[in-house]
Amino acid sequence: MLEIKRKIGNFKEVKFLNQTFLVLFVFGLISSINLTLYWRVEKNFNQWFLELLLYGSILWHLHQKRYNLTLISRFPDNFIGCLLIIIPYIKGNFSFQEVSISWYFLPLITFTGFVLLVSGFQGIKQFRKYLAIIAIFPLVVILVKFLGMVMRITVISAKLTSFVLWYLGFDAATQADFVWVNNGTIQILSECTAVPILILLLKISFLLVILFPSLLKNSYLPFILSVAISLISSIIRLVIIALVVSDKPAFNYWHGHQGGNIFFVISFLVFGAVILLVLPNNNNMPSSVTEATPEKSQPLSWLMVLTGMGSLIILLNFLINPNGGLSQNVVYHFPSEITIPGWQLTASKPVSYQQVVKENNPPQQTTNVEADKKKDMLTGQIYHYQKAGRDLTVNFYYIRVSLGDIMSYYEQFTYLPDLPKVIKPLAKVNPKGYHLQFSDQKNHYLTACINSMGKSTVTVAQFTAYFYRPYLNPSQWVNLLNGKQTIRDRRCIWGQISLARADGTEAELESVWQALLSYWEGNFPNLQL
């Protein structure tokens, strides 16, 4: 009872409205806002948990050294810090699976604002390791995905998967990123390789090395483990996927989020177990954070109070408003007329998903390869042309989140009007990319996905090859910074043109397609309103 009374007495002596408390309070608010936004934009629990681990670790460090922090009130440093915290949230207009520079580095911008608010430019040094780890987290994502593309990780994974299958006694073969086994074929995408697990484990590795070095005997060990565990677990998963490719429910399970999360958890547990097994001797383990004795509290900064109140209002707004911080989908309406040299437009008809549902009541299917395409097929337009009594039909559909896999579109959008069955498609190269051509008894067809650069592609590999092209073009750097262009633009205009076999040739279709590509090169839908 005396112990309880003593703790109650200590609690009553705590002064909540002091500078030290405000520092932790404001950082907690910034962390909560960033975590709320991260979940709404990314919808990825594994990565969200790592962000929570990051902010929790930094908050623990700040709490441990709270009496050793040098807090400096100086204008305009503190005022700049306040603006860096508040403005990004007020201007927050992020979309689902945002991949812009402003989104990736939002935590760094807001934490830099926090540092300036707390201690100005003079005190940045005491927060340098926290700034470093917050900056490293998005860089890990960007660099690992970029290196995976450069090293052709999908091809390497296909070869390793084929080798393991062969070693296990299966008749397996591989070409590029395809693996054949048991009369089935899988195409390995970046999301199925070691890349996602490697990103997760590398983030944990940097967190340990920078914030908790006393837990490690060797600072290189976490990075070696990350590469080894991610590679082994991804190959095991790919082997399972290849063996069950003919069993659709099993394939969807292991290829989807459920199977992926199992390997995420296993990789995380194995990584943690190895780190715990090789922990240094506790008696010799130095403390990474030294807790200081309480000192006289710092004078109250009213600018910090205002920042805390503003951040609290922003957090409450995000919690109350389910769409807070998110941009509204840019509903693109196709033009009623697109000019094709030598052809006369006779009619055009808009197409929307709601209209198709009402008229045809399509089945509710989903796919694990891409986001739900039915929701992402925002608008479409069908154009009819004539020339010398010959009929030409052009279908365009705008898909907001895509991987550019044309063949999957014909499987998922079977309810769309004028959608034929693909028979023996032939891939061809054109001056502005690639396209597929095929024919049925009545018509010749040409189809492809047009990306935001006006280039046409038909496979995932071709589509994703353009993701990092803006890096190489200085004229695009400003657009990357202001959000007008993303690092990986996944929008696609899916086009299909058809011409009666008796009226024209495949060469004429290619000529029409080049004219349409020239049009979209300068008229692709804007990313934002």
Side-chain angles (χ1 to χ4, degrees):
M1 182 63 69
L2 292 175
E3 181 68 17
I4 294 175
K5 289 183 178 180
R6 185 180 64 82
K7 290 183 177 181
I8 293 175
N10 292 338
F11 179 79
K12 289 180 178 179
E13 293 177 2
V14 174
K15 296 180 181 179
F16 288 98
L17 276 180
N18 59 42
Q19 193 81 326
T20 303
F21 171 78
L22 279 176
V23 168
L24 300 178
F25 180 68
V26 171
F27 179 77
L29 288 173
I30 293 172
S31 303
S32 300
I33 295 171
N34 287 343
L35 287 170
T36 302
L37 282 176
Y38 195 91
W39 176 253
R40 289 181 179 176
V41 173
E42 296 290 343
K43 296 288 186 183
N44 186 322
F45 177 78
N46 297 318
Q47 297 297 333
W48 180 87
F49 177 75
L50 280 183
E51 296 293 318
L52 176 63
L53 198 62
L54 169 66
Y55 292 124
S57 300
I58 295 177
L59 184 61
W60 181 80
H61 269 252
L62 292 177
H63 179 265
Q64 293 295 100
K65 59 187 296 186
R66 61 192 181 279
Y67 298 116
N68 282 340
L69 293 176
T70 302
L71 309 181
I72 300 173
S73 296
R74 173 174 295 179
F75 186 87
D77 301 16
N78 304 142
F79 182 69
I80 294 173
C82 176
L83 295 181
L84 287 177
I85 294 173
I86 300 298
I87 290 178
Y89 297 137
I90 294 177
K91 294 287 187 180
N93 193 31
F94 304 107
S95 60
F96 174 67
Q97 293 187 340
E98 179 83 35
V99 284
S100 65
I101 290 179
S102 59
W103 166 247
Y104 275 136
F105 292 99
L106 174 68
L108 180 62
I109 293 170
T110 53
F111 187 74
T112 301
F114 168 77
V115 171
L116 294 178
L117 177 68
V118 169
S119 59
F121 289 103
Q122 287 186 345
I124 287 181
K125 186 176 180 180
Q126 60 187 327
F127 297 97
R128 63 185 182 276
K129 63 181 178 181
Y130 311 129
L131 287 168
I133 187 64
I134 290 176
I136 285 172
F137 262 47
L139 288 175
V140 167
V141 178
I142 295 172
L143 291 177
V144 170
K145 289 185 176 181
F146 181 74
L147 288 175
M149 183 185 69
V150 172
M151 295 173 59
R152 301 184 69 190
I153 187 66
T154 55
V155 177
I156 295 174
S157 298
K159 292 184 181 299
L160 290 175
T161 302
S162 179
F163 173 78
V164 172
L165 288 167
W166 169 81
Y167 185 80
L168 294 174
F170 295 94
D171 185 14
T174 180
Q175 181 178 358
D177 53 4
F178 288 88
V179 176
W180 288 269
V181 65
N182 288 353
N183 297 321
T185 306
I186 62 169
Q187 182 182 16
I188 298 176
L189 308 179
S190 178
E191 288 80 1
C192 300
T193 65
V195 168
I197 297 177
L198 181 59
I199 290 173
L200 182 143
L201 296 182
L202 282 179
K203 285 184 176 181
I204 298 175
S205 300
F206 279 111
L207 193 65
L208 289 172
V209 169
I210 295 177
L211 297 187
F212 303 99
S214 59
L215 297 177
L216 303 171
K217 275 186 177 180
N218 187 328
S219 58
Y220 296 106
L221 176 62
F223 301 103
I224 296 173
L225 282 175
S226 299
V227 175
I229 293 173
S230 60
L231 186 61
I232 293 172
S233 62
S234 67
I235 296 303
I236 294 174
R237 183 188 176 202
L238 287 172
V239 168
I240 295 174
I241 291 173
L243 292 176
V244 301
V245 66
S246 300
D247 184 349
K248 205 160 189 178
F251 175 81
N252 290 336
Y253 180 86
W254 290 108
H255 183 249
H257 294 298
Q258 291 175 306
N261 286 336
I262 289 175
F263 281 91
F264 269 113
V265 172
I266 292 175
S267 301
F268 180 78
L269 292 177
V270 171
F271 179 89
V274 174
I275 294 296
L276 290 175
L277 286 174
V278 296
L279 275 177
N281 191 324
N282 289 333
N283 295 329
N284 301 323
M285 187 170 64
S287 176
S288 59
V289 178
T290 304
E291 185 172 358
T293 56
E295 297 179 359
K296 187 176 180 180
S297 58
Q298 302 277 351
L300 197 66
S301 168
W302 290 105
L303 185 59
M304 190 175 295
V305 173
L306 292 175
T307 305
M309 292 175 61
S311 301
L312 180 60
I313 292 172
I314 291 171
L315 176 61
L316 291 174
N317 175 58
F318 285 170
L319 294 177
I320 295 172
N321 180 11
N323 295 319
L326 298 178
S327 63
Q328 295 181 349
N329 288 335
V330 179
V331 180
Y332 177 70
H333 296 285
F334 282 88
S336 58
E337 180 178 351
I338 296 178
T339 302
I340 300 177
W343 291 87
Q344 179 68 38
L345 180 69
T346 58
S348 73
K349 175 186 176 182
V351 179
S352 67
Y353 174 66
Q354 292 77 9
Q355 173 190 351
V356 173
V357 170
K358 185 177 180 180
E359 295 177 356
N360 300 321
N361 190 26
Q364 298 299 312
Q365 303 178 48
T366 57
T367 176
N368 292 314
V369 177
E370 301 190 25
D372 186 358
K373 299 185 182 71
K374 295 185 295 299
K375 295 179 181 177
D376 293 325
M377 198 280 291
L378 303 182
T379 55
Q381 192 87 10
I382 301 176
Y383 303 89
H384 297 280
Y385 298 85
Q386 278 191 344
K387 182 173 73 171
R390 294 181 296 165
D391 294 323
L392 172 72
T393 302
V394 178
N395 299 52
F396 281 126
Y397 302 101
Y398 177 59
I399 302 175
R400 185 170 58 89
V401 180
S402 171
L403 286 175
D405 186 1
I406 290 298
M407 295 305 296
S408 71
Y409 295 164
Y410 282 91
E411 296 176 1
Q412 294 297 318
F413 294 126
T414 54
Y415 50 83
L416 289 176
D418 301 331
L419 201 65
K421 182 179 180 180
V422 180
I423 303 172
K424 296 181 179 179
L426 179 63
K428 291 193 174 184
V429 180
N430 63 65
K432 296 182 180 179
Y434 306 84
H435 63 263
L436 289 180
Q437 288 188 218
F438 60 95
S439 302
D440 59 19
Q441 293 180 351
K442 296 181 179 180
N443 299 315
H444 292 302
Y445 296 94
L446 185 151
T447 183
C449 170
I450 305 173
N451 64 20
S452 59
M453 300 179 188
K455 307 299 182 182
S456 65
T457 64
V458 296
T459 66
V460 175
Q462 293 166 5
F463 187 79
T464 57
Y466 286 93
F467 276 172
Y468 300 96
R469 297 291 176 89
Y471 291 148
L472 309 177
N473 187 353
S475 64
Q476 298 294 328
W477 292 349
V478 175
N479 291 335
L480 286 170
L481 292 173
N482 62 21
K484 291 184 178 179
Q485 184 160 347
T486 64
I487 297 174
R488 293 178 290 130
D489 197 335
R490 295 183 61 177
R491 296 173 300 144
C492 161
I493 290 180
W494 173 30
Q496 175 192 278
I497 56 179
S498 61
L499 186 63
R501 297 185 69 162
D503 292 341
T505 63
E506 293 181 353
E508 191 166 15
L509 275 182
E510 293 185 22
S511 176
V512 171
W513 184 246
Q514 291 305 308
L516 292 170
L517 287 177
S518 298
Y519 170 83
W520 287 115
E521 198 167 11
N523 294 278
F524 199 85
N526 293 327
L527 186 64
Q528 296 180 351
L529 293 171

